[in-house]
Amino acid sequence: MDETVIQEPGGFLPQSLPSPAPSNASQSSTASNLPHPRSHPLRAGSAKEEAARRYVERRLLHISRRYTKKFQPPEQGEEVHGYESMTEAAKDLGEVIDVLWLSGTPSLQIPYLLNIALAVTTYLPSFPPAPVSTFKLLRKLDHAFASLLKGEDSETGEILPGFEAGKRGGMTRTDMVRCKSLVEATRVLIVEVMSKEPETERDADESGIDMDAMSVDRETTWDADEDPHDMDVARVYEATITQLGTVLENKTSYDAGSGSS
């Protein structure tokens, strides 16, 4: 199953994204629902690694084009339409995160996840607040970054593909510093964004039926003492912050005894 992919022009795509196993954790508002990765990283320089890289780059370019189109008048006959909401952008970014996580390849995951985290800080201020989709996206990133910093799944403790021999294949100190900067910027930004007038989000319930979800009362602005999403705001990148503090404080990006960065 790990090796089963659909090869498309310029793309790499698993045949299907596995559904999370039904459990209290997967149904919790704090769960990221990242898919389970393949058992081994894609071999460096292989056709499959290159296909995965091309697919992710094409998807991120498409997302960037849709964001840019948001600020441009529509042209007759154009195929790419600008995003109308953060919900749309978050959905597309979340799908790319899932594919990166499925790849089980840190050399792809780390740089592209950092790029996605940067894109989030760019996109968020450009739309009305969409708490449901935004926090869902940020939970995925938090789970991914915290796990890559530990070398194991931050929720299950399972060793990640590529980390069987320790953390050598993980984030460099430069990656960690960049990650820390993005995390801090996002935590400040999210408070500002959530104080704006919200959009009406459409989310899917467990049966898969779309339902209107007003995540914030339209008659009020965000208030940390009253809003139901105040805990979501407080938890933004919570696990990543913990891991960054541990690793950077120890001034090492890999296992003790293997050297220092």
Side-chain angles (χ1 to χ4, degrees):
M1 178 177 178
D2 289 336
E3 299 296 327
T4 303
V5 297
I6 297 175
Q7 296 288 352
E8 298 179 343
F12 161 97
L13 193 62
Q15 284 190 325
S16 63
L17 297 180
S19 300
S23 67
N24 291 336
S26 67
Q27 295 172 10
S28 167
S29 63
T30 61
S32 76
N33 289 335
L34 281 177
H36 194 277
R38 50 182 281 132
S39 58
H40 300 288
L42 296 168
R43 183 168 52 83
S46 67
K48 288 181 179 178
E49 187 207 38
E50 182 58 27
R53 190 184 305 277
R54 288 199 308 268
Y55 173 78
V56 171
E57 288 180 350
R58 285 166 64 93
R59 288 298 301 158
L60 291 179
L61 178 60
H62 176 75
I63 291 168
S64 178
R65 288 180 63 195
R66 287 199 64 186
Y67 174 71
T68 301
K69 287 284 186 181
K70 164 183 167 58
F71 305 100
Q72 300 173 351
E75 299 177 5
Q76 187 174 6
E78 67 179 356
E79 297 182 359
V80 178
H81 301 283
Y83 287 122
E84 296 182 0
S85 68
M86 187 62 199
T87 299
E88 293 178 343
K91 177 180 179 295
D92 286 352
L93 289 170
E95 289 173 354
V96 178
I97 293 172
D98 285 346
V99 171
L100 284 167
W101 202 247
L102 275 168
S103 77
T105 308
S107 61
L108 295 177
Q109 293 167 336
I110 293 169
Y112 287 119
L113 288 173
L114 287 170
N115 287 345
I116 290 172
L118 176 61
V120 171
T121 65
T122 301
Y123 297 175
L124 274 175
S126 302
F127 299 97
V132 173
S133 53
T134 297
F135 290 126
K136 179 180 179 180
L137 177 66
L138 290 173
R139 282 193 294 271
K140 284 181 182 285
L141 286 169
D142 188 29
H143 185 179
F145 285 139
S147 299
L148 288 166
L149 285 162
K150 289 186 71 175
E152 62 184 50
D153 190 294
S154 62
E155 294 182 0
T156 68
E158 183 179 359
I159 300 298
L160 295 181
F163 288 86
E164 292 83 0
K167 300 180 185 177
R168 288 181 187 275
M171 287 192 184
T172 64
R173 188 168 183 81
T174 300
D175 292 331
M176 293 179 196
V177 171
R178 185 184 178 199
C179 184
K180 184 173 184 289
S181 176
L182 288 168
V183 164
E184 292 173 346
T186 305
R187 284 175 62 84
V188 172
L189 181 62
I190 200 71
V191 176
E192 177 184 341
V193 168
M194 290 302 159
S195 68
K196 299 177 182 177
E197 188 75 6
E199 69 177 56
T200 301
E201 296 182 80
R202 296 189 67 83
D203 199 13
D205 66 7
E206 292 181 8
S207 66
I209 301 174
D210 281 344
M211 302 178 67
D212 284 328
M214 279 304 300
S215 301
V216 182
D217 186 350
R218 279 187 172 275
E219 301 301 321
T220 61
T221 55
W222 184 80
D223 188 315
D225 294 326
E226 300 177 2
D227 192 87
H229 288 285
D230 60 344
M231 289 304 297
D232 289 318
V233 171
R235 291 191 186 107
V236 168
Y237 284 129
E238 183 178 47
T240 302
I241 290 171
T242 299
Q243 289 305 314
L244 281 169
T246 299
V247 177
L248 290 175
E249 183 177 333
N250 292 336
K251 297 182 179 180
T252 179
S253 60
Y254 43 86
D255 288 339
S258 64
S260 59
S261 59

